[in-house]
Amino acid sequence: MFYINPPRGKIPLYITEECVINRLQYLNLLYNKEECKFSGKFQYLLEDSPYDNIGHFTLRLLVSTTPESWNHWLTRERLLLRHRLNHLLPRQLHRLFRNILRRSKNYDRHEAACIKLSLITLSAHFLRPDVFRHIISDEHTTGCDLFPFKVIFTAVPDLVKERKLQLERGYCVVHCSMWKIVLESLFHRLIQLEYNIYKTDMQNTVRMDSRLQLMSQRLTKSILTPKIESNANITALNIDNEARKFPPCMRHLHLVLRKKHRLSHYARFYYSLFLKDCGMNLDNSIAYWRDEYSKPHTCESGCTHKWQESEKKFIYSIRHLYGLEGARVNYGSPNCQTIFNADPGPRYEGGCPFKILDNEQLKDVFNSCLIDDDIQRELIKLKGENAGAACGLFLQATNDDKSHVVVQSPLEYYIHVNKHI
Ligand code: SF4
């Protein structure tokens, strides 16, 4: 819980992933004061367990790739420490001080010497039987100053800056009622200091291991992409109407599915997530895919799966996308950048039309949407420079909308159209 040394040993990758995902989920809920909604696996979050350590140190490594994701994570880790300190039993608290004392003595980074010394002073002070009995007793109240101790001021500059501690000849006087905020500040300082020193090494470790790199990309994307939500209600019955408001990439997938009754794996994955985020609930999603996959496939579809033969598998995979099976990850729909970069193979029917279609093919799409020749020319010019801006102009032209948008994700496109019609 006060993480000083990373764990050793071997662990399967999928468990590491589960530790990380569950931890991040819990940290976010805690930050939003919704921790009671946590539905993941608590065994990965038990204080001081191997899983708890693995989750913390792996996340620390994965978020080191960008300052934004690092700050996002560290704020929440600090909050988790505060939350845990507020709920410790006396026995656990005693063990915590013992662990901090033991681990700090073995900690040998000279850059963090003053933090190490302060941790040793603090834990040794509170392990004194009279002090420990006092802090767990009823007489120890908020503002209690019966058992003060001192730490060097450079170890807790944030508390000095906020005038939370009194200065005395280069030392801060810490009253016994202040132990939690001092411990929290030392925790934050120690992790931040290690990041400042080892940032490049951490980033190289992630970059050189494709498994870590993939996990890190997913995490930073989920951390840095602001959540936008649609209030629409797409059902298996109204989807043909709603698809008129989809961006060209998703409208194309809808039309392919209607025509061939099948989609390749990644096209199905992206399109299902898009529908989920647009507001299609689980039952309607199952009904929609069942309708199509129950029909005979066309020979050029490349997929021969039938709903009747693999119903359980289909339902499981849809529930999985809704975060109800497996690691219970709530996957988000792809943004434009993900669609631009996707290269899942020759059978893939998806992609951004502004990137993958040539001018003649695009003109066919524009003509089918009755777009003026002038706008068509502008769209063709824009698509080479900025596909998102071309998509925004397409949105204007097909919806009689005057607002200028640079589309960042298919979901954003759909929400925008819904707001302005
Ligand atoms: Fe889809 Fe984005 Fe391309 Fe628009 S710009 S078609 S939303 S991928």
Side-chain angles (χ1 to χ4, degrees), residues 247-250 336 339-340 351-354 387-388 391 407-410 413:
C249 53
M250 294 297 157
C336 297
I339 295 175
F340 298 161
C352 173
F354 298 104
C391 193
V407 178
Q408 312 274 352
S409 74
Y413 183 108

Side-chain angles (χ1 to χ4, degrees), residues 126 134-142 144 176-179:
F126 286 105
H134 167 69
I135 60 164
I136 58 168
S137 70
D138 292 342
E139 69 194 40
H140 176 71
T141 51
T142 328
C144 176
C176 54
S177 55
M178 308 286 280
W179 70 270

Side-chain angles (χ1 to χ4, degrees), residues 167-200:
L167 270 177
E168 212 178 271
R169 295 184 186 171
Y171 283 85
C172 291
V173 180
V174 183
H175 295 143
C176 54
S177 55
M178 308 286 280
W179 70 270
K180 283 183 197 169
I181 62 161
V182 173
L183 199 58
E184 203 185 300
S185 165
L186 292 171
F187 174 82
H188 188 275
R189 279 264 299 148
L190 185 65
I191 296 180
Q192 187 62 45
L193 193 83
E194 291 205 339
Y195 174 68
N196 297 344
I197 301 169
Y198 299 109
K199 184 167 70 178
T200 316

Side-chain angles (χ1 to χ4, degrees), residues 174-281:
V174 183
H175 295 143
C176 54
S177 55
M178 308 286 280
W179 70 270
K180 283 183 197 169
I181 62 161
V182 173
L183 199 58
E184 203 185 300
S185 165
L186 292 171
F187 174 82
H188 188 275
R189 279 264 299 148
L190 185 65
I191 296 180
Q192 187 62 45
L193 193 83
E194 291 205 339
Y195 174 68
N196 297 344
I197 301 169
Y198 299 109
K199 184 167 70 178
T200 316
D201 292 342
M202 290 160 85
Q203 291 173 345
N204 283 341
T205 308
V206 175
R207 206 170 300 131
M208 283 157 64
D209 187 317
S210 54
R211 299 162 305 173
L212 291 177
Q213 198 179 21
L214 194 68
M215 272 160 81
S216 169
Q217 280 169 355
R218 278 200 217 134
L219 280 184
T220 43
K221 190 180 147 232
S222 76
I223 288 172
L224 302 180
T225 313
K227 272 234 167 301
I228 46 172
E229 284 181 5
S230 158
N231 297 323
N233 179 21
I234 302 185
T235 67
L237 297 176
N238 71 7
I239 190 160
D240 288 317
N241 271 338
E242 291 297 313
R244 297 198 183 112
K245 301 181 229 159
F246 290 174
C249 53
M250 294 297 157
R251 196 181 319 181
H252 172 70
L253 292 182
H254 174 73
L255 294 175
V256 174
L257 183 64
R258 282 292 193 228
K259 188 172 159 211
K260 298 184 183 171
H261 314 302
R262 300 292 185 276
L263 283 179
S264 62
H265 174 76
Y266 275 96
R268 197 166 67 233
F269 179 65
Y270 288 154
Y271 185 43
S272 305
L273 290 176
F274 168 74
L275 291 177
K276 181 187 84 164
D277 281 357
C278 283
M280 181 179 258
N281 66 23

